[in-house]
């Protein structure tokens, strides 16, 4: 255990050197096992952070996470982290400020205490300032890259609010070379940030944020700055497919299935002859990867046998492509009759019904969260025809896709 704890501390220290985000590492007795944060005002921070850790431990027992946004000026992220079989630690990431502190704001921060002017100056320089979406993205990268655990699926707002900061006035003129260089640097930052979001959405299974990404003209103009050049678009698309493959694997999907999907869409990319075709290929590939990430955790179950979970995993990995019982059985090296009986016994559903449920559940989300047409949805989910899609959807929900969308829209209007 000591070796593992030391390794975690080393990772945290390396992370802090780059990001300067405070990390607090509490043991089961709520003693600080490690912190990378040290300023003249650390005692004031400690007296604030320790109750956060205590309340989190009580509320979440030995597992869970909490994004603490109670104070409009300060953000924390709290989560449990296990080292070995019997040692569970509580980590607090933060505080992170949402604004640069002023004399009017200092009393509202909650950890100011009776600070001298010099302590305030040191503390304000030591604490990072970022927005909520940036903090969520930072947490996701931290959990993936430093702690090596699956990040939570944060509910994000409209994509336009995330990328609004990157909007620039197309008609503005630059009067010096230094200003032009600053624009180039900003463009690079925009591209890197959108690529980070692209990966995060796939890792977390946020399929509808991906739909928004590819429907947003500003976003696509950043990712594909020269849409007139098919070759340029293919190079960028190939990079995005690679990012999607890596993100999917990081979320726990099988490396072979990730590679096969990547290869399938790479071959399609070679034959694409326009930006629109290239964009649709990347979008469809990314959404398939994201759907896998989402469904894998939702539909597998520890109470099922390994064979049933493997069967579910194969179905999800192949969606929306069609797969027969015989093909599944062959891949799993088991008889089709035995697989069908085992799956039905443990899940209470036939494999065919399970596949239909997956498609219908996905259709529900698409009808509620996108403006895709009924034909586009049926095609995207590989139904043989729109009429067959309508028939299966009606069978599973007692509503037609049109009725379901209208009710969902009405519900949203009433809730707002």
């Amino acid at each position: 255990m000591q070796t593992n704890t030391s390794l975690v501390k080393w990772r945290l220290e390396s992370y802090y050197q780059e990001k300067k985000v405070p990390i607090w590492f509490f043991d089961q007795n709520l003693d600080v096992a490690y912190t990378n944060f040290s300023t003249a005002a650390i005692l004031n921070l400690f007296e604030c952070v320790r109750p956060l850790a205590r309340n989190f431990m009580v509320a979440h027992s030995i597992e869970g996470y909490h994004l603490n946004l109670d104070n409009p000026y300060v953000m924390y992220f709290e989560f449990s982290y296990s080292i070995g079989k019997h040692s569970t630690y509580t980590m607090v990431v933060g505080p992170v400020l949402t604004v640069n502190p002023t004399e009017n704001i200092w009393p509202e921060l909650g950890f100011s205490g009776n600070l001298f002017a010099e302590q305030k100056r040191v503390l304000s320089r030591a604490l990072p300032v970022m927005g909520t979406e940036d903090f969520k993205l930072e947490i996701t990268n931290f959990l993936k890259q430093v702690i090596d655990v699956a990040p939570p699926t944060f509910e994000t707002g409209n994509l336009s609010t995330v990328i609004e900061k990157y909007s620039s006035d197309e008609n503005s003129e630059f009067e010096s070379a230094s200003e032009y260089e600053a624009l180039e640097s900003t463009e690079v930052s925009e591209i890197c940030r959108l690529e980070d979001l692209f990966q995060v959405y796939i890792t977390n299974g946020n399929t509808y944020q991906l739909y928004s990404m590819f429907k947003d003209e500003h976003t696509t103009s950043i990712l594909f700055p020269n849409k007139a050049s098919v070759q340029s678009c293919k190079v960028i698309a190939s990079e995005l497919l690679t990012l999607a493959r890596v993100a999917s694997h990081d979320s726990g999907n099988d490396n072979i299935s990730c590679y096969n999907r990547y290869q399938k869409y790479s071959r399609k990319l070679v034959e694409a002859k326009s930006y629109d075709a290239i964009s649709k290929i990347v979008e469809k590939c990314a959404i398939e990867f994201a759907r896998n990430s989402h469904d894998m955790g939702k539909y597998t179950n520890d109470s099922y046998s390994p064979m049933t979970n493997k069967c579910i995993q194969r179905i999800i990995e192949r969606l929306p492509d069609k797969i027969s019982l015989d093909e599944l059985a062959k891949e799993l090296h088991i008889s089709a009759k035995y697989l069908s009986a085992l799956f039905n016994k443990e899940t209470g559903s036939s494999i065919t019904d399970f596949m239909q449920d997956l498609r219908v559940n996905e259709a529900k989300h698409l009808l509620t969260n996108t403006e895709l047409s009924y034909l586009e949805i049926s095609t995207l989910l590989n139904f043989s025809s729109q009429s067959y899609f309508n028939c299966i959807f009606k069978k599973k929900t007692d509503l037609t896709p049109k009725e379901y969308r209208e009710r969902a829209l009405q519900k949203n209007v009433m809730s707002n």
Side-chain angles (χ1 to χ4, degrees), residues 246-344:
V246 171
S248 181
H249 181 250
D250 286 347
S251 72
N253 285 297
D254 176 71
N255 196 28
I256 295 176
S257 66
C258 290
Y259 181 77
N260 288 340
R261 178 169 282 119
Y262 166 79
Q263 286 287 70
K264 180 178 80 171
Y265 283 98
S266 292
R267 287 192 291 269
K268 291 183 178 182
L269 197 59
V270 172
E271 312 214 347
K273 296 181 180 179
S274 68
Y275 159 74
D276 288 338
I278 292 168
S279 177
K280 287 178 181 178
I281 288 169
V282 177
E283 177 184 2
K284 190 170 182 180
C285 179
I287 288 168
E288 283 190 20
F289 274 129
R291 187 185 295 115
N292 274 17
S293 301
H294 175 269
D295 290 347
M296 205 68 71
K298 180 178 179 181
Y299 292 105
T300 56
N301 194 311
D302 290 340
S303 66
Y304 296 161
S305 65
M307 183 58 66
T308 297
N309 277 327
K310 283 182 181 178
C311 181
I312 292 173
Q313 184 175 356
R314 287 289 189 279
I315 293 170
I316 292 171
E317 286 170 353
R318 295 281 291 273
L319 279 174
D321 296 340
K322 298 175 182 178
I323 181 170
S324 68
L325 173 61
D326 288 337
E327 288 175 310
L328 280 171
K330 185 176 180 180
E331 287 186 17
L332 297 172
H333 308 289
I334 189 175
S335 76
K337 184 176 180 180
Y338 179 77
L339 177 61
S340 177
L342 178 65
F343 192 94
N344 200 314

Side-chain angles (χ1 to χ4, degrees), residues 15 18-19 21 65 67 69 75-77 93 96 130-147 149-157 159 161-163 165-166 188-204 206 209-210 213 243 247:
Y15 170 80
E18 179 184 356
K19 298 294 185 178
V21 177
Y65 71 89
L67 179 60
L69 303 175
M75 297 181 288
Y76 298 89
F77 180 71
V93 180
V96 170
M130 62 181 71
T132 304
E133 293 301 328
D134 288 335
F135 189 43
K136 291 177 181 178
L137 183 59
E138 191 59 54
I139 291 165
T140 300
N141 290 332
F142 169 75
L143 293 178
K144 282 171 53 182
Q145 299 168 14
V146 181
I147 305 300
V149 299
T153 301
F154 292 116
E155 294 294 333
T156 60
L159 181 70
T161 62
V162 180
I163 63 173
K165 69 178 70 178
Y166 304 130
V188 171
S189 297
E190 291 171 355
I191 292 170
C192 291
R193 179 57 58 86
L194 286 172
E195 287 179 345
D196 282 346
L197 285 170
F198 179 77
Q199 286 189 284
V200 167
Y201 292 158
I202 291 172
T203 301
N204 288 343
N206 302 134
Q209 280 83 349
L210 286 169
M213 258 187 136
L243 292 176

